[in-house]
């Protein structure tokens, strides 16, 4: 009876150690662990567990379930499955090598070396290269410091940036970014071939612009109550050292380019007269802007537009009516940008 009790205690102790090792491996082997997940530390823990006397399948189950559970809490199912599968494979391979070493077989040491190499290669493919991740992380830090600096009065609040992780399907290193003002609208910054793709910037620019679009719409609505129009945000114009997304309320009115679509315009002369009315209302209000682009027309072949710069005498804008042929180009917005930059 005493021997059975000792054996149970010994088994419980071994199981406890395996669980602790698996939990430690799971904490390190998560996508949110960043560069740590890409290092072989978790593989080392699998190798240590391989030498603890216990059936291989039990150790594989403990490691697999633990890693899957910890990853599924914060990542998608696909990521959790990949990470747990890599951990199960590493545990199984190291257990085979450890059993060979215990039995004093010559293949034991070569097996554990081959297992380590195989697991590291798989980790590099699915989880990422820690050295490349470190380099990419420095690039992200430089980019976010320039474009998303901290400002306690920022309209978007504070920015939270996740640890770096690797997307094996696209071969890109990625961080997720979210603003405290819009916590459900996160997006990613990715880097591939040393070029950063910002999927967050355009979305948040729209959020920052809402206050300015609302203000300009209100000014025009009050001055021209009978007119039918629609004001929309086009883009921001900024100096190289100016962080648009960290701006406070009302700070960058002079950086906003607007699109103003006017309904009910039949002729070119009607268009010019309407634009004079709109610009006069805006000039009287004193509201700032970088550029106004007025548009009209619903034809299938041509659309009218007039671009107005703020650099004109008050109430005397210089207007030049232009047309874009919609039959030869579907990129009206891009065409306007090119014309404005001339």
């Amino acid at each position: 009876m005493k021997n059975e009790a000792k054996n149970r205690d010994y088994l419980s102790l071994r199981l406890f150690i395996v669980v602790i090792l698996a939990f430690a491996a799971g904490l390190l082997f998560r996508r949110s662990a960043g560069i740590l997940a890409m290092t072989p530390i978790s593989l080392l823990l699998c190798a240590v567990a391989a030498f603890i006397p216990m059936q291989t399948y039990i150790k594989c189950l403990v490691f697999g379930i633990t890693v899957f559970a910890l990853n599924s809490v914060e990542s998608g199912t696909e990521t959790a499955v990949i990470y747990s599968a890599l951990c199960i494979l590493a545990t199984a391979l190291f257990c085979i090598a450890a059993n060979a070493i215990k039995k004093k077989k010559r293949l034991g040491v070569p097996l554990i070396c081959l297992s380590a190499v195989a697991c590291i290669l798989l980790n590099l493919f699915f989880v990422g290269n820690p050295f490349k991740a470190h380099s990419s992380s420095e690039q992200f830090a430089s980019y976010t410091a320039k474009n998303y600096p901290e400002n306690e009065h920022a309209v978007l609040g504070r920015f939270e940036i996740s640890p770096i992780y690797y997307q094996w399907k696209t071969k890109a290193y990625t961080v997720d970014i979210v603003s405290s003002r819009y916590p459900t609208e996160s997006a990613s910054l990715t880097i591939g071939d040393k070029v950063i793709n910002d999927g967050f910037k355009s979305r948040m620019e729209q959020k920052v612009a809402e206050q300015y679009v609302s203000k300009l719409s209100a000014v025009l609505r009050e001055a021209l109550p009978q007119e039918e129009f629609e004001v929309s945000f086009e883009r921001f114009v900024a100096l190289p050292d100016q962080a648009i997304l960290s701006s406070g309320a009302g700070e960058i009115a002079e950086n906003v380019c607007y699109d103003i679509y006017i309904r009910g315009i039949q002729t070119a002369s009607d268009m010019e007269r309407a634009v004079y009315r709109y610009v006069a209302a805006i000039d009287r209000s004193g509201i700032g802007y970088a550029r106004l682009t007025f548009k009209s027309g619903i034809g299938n072949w041509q659309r009218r537009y007039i671009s107005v710069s703020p650099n004109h005498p008050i109430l005397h804008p210089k207007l030049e009516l232009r047309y874009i042929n919609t039959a030869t180009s579907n990129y009206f917005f891009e065409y306007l940008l090119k014309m404005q930059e001339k």
Side-chain angles (χ1 to χ4, degrees), residues 77-98:
T77 303
E78 182 183 45
T79 299
V81 168
I82 290 173
Y83 278 55
S84 61
L86 289 173
C87 210
I88 290 171
L89 178 63
T91 304
L93 290 176
F94 285 129
C95 282
I96 293 171

Side-chain angles (χ1 to χ4, degrees), residues 128-341:
N129 185 319
F131 300 104
K132 289 184 179 179
H134 177 70
S135 176
S136 298
S137 184
E138 290 182 337
Q139 288 181 260
F140 281 134
S142 176
Y143 178 85
T144 54
K146 178 182 177 181
N147 292 278
Y148 303 100
E150 291 296 331
N151 178 5
E152 60 179 342
H153 303 296
V155 175
L156 297 176
R158 298 186 61 187
F159 298 107
E160 298 177 10
I161 301 172
S162 73
I164 192 168
Y165 62 92
Y166 182 65
Q167 293 182 322
W168 67 274
K169 290 181 179 179
T170 58
K171 314 298 181 189
Y173 290 90
T174 304
V175 294
D176 296 326
I177 181 169
V178 65
S179 80
S180 59
R181 181 72 182 277
Y182 300 98
T184 61
E185 299 190 33
S186 65
S188 299
L189 307 181
T190 60
I191 184 167
D193 297 326
K194 298 184 178 180
V195 176
I196 293 178
N197 179 31
D198 191 342
F200 186 69
K201 187 176 181 180
S202 60
R203 185 182 301 182
M204 290 299 107
E205 281 183 341
Q206 293 286 342
K207 298 296 184 183
V208 174
E210 286 177 358
Q211 58 179 312
Y212 302 106
V213 171
S214 297
K215 186 175 181 179
L216 182 59
S217 298
V219 165
L220 293 175
R221 184 62 61 201
E222 182 178 358
L224 306 166
Q226 304 302 319
E227 300 278 351
E228 293 186 18
F229 62 88
E230 181 180 347
V231 179
S232 60
F233 167 70
E234 181 190 322
R235 62 179 176 132
F236 283 112
V237 176
L239 297 173
D241 60 343
Q242 192 171 16
I244 293 294
L245 297 184
S246 293
S247 62
E251 289 182 351
I252 54 171
E254 289 76 14
N255 298 82
V256 189
C257 295
Y258 298 94
D259 278 344
I260 303 174
Y261 181 76
I262 308 174
R263 295 185 176 87
I265 301 296
Q266 300 298 325
T267 66
S269 57
D270 289 343
M271 175 73 169
E272 291 179 350
R273 286 193 294 269
V275 170
Y276 273 116
R277 293 196 300 272
Y278 280 76
V279 174
I282 294 170
D283 284 351
R284 292 191 187 97
S285 73
I287 191 171
Y289 59 90
R291 183 171 294 275
L292 305 171
T293 300
F294 295 89
K295 303 176 184 178
S296 70
I298 58 173
N300 294 326
W301 304 108
Q302 284 189 329
R303 302 286 176 85
R304 310 178 196 90
Y305 76 93
I306 296 176
S307 291
V308 179
S309 166
N311 302 316
H312 65 262
I314 300 298
L315 303 179
H316 293 86
K318 181 181 178 181
L319 305 185
E320 185 176 356
L321 182 67
R322 295 176 182 270
Y323 293 88
I324 178 65
N325 191 330
T326 59
T328 58
S329 174
N330 290 324
Y331 300 101
F332 185 50
F333 176 75
E334 287 78 0
Y335 178 85
L336 291 181
L337 289 183
K338 291 179 181 178
M339 294 301 295
Q340 291 168 12
E341 291 169 356

Side-chain angles (χ1 to χ4, degrees), residues 1-19:
M1 293 293 292
K2 289 183 179 180
N3 289 335
E4 289 180 3
K6 286 182 179 179
N7 288 334
R8 284 197 299 270
D9 292 341
Y10 185 45
L11 180 61
S12 298
L13 177 61
R14 285 180 291 173
L15 181 60
F16 177 75
I17 294 173
V18 170
V19 170

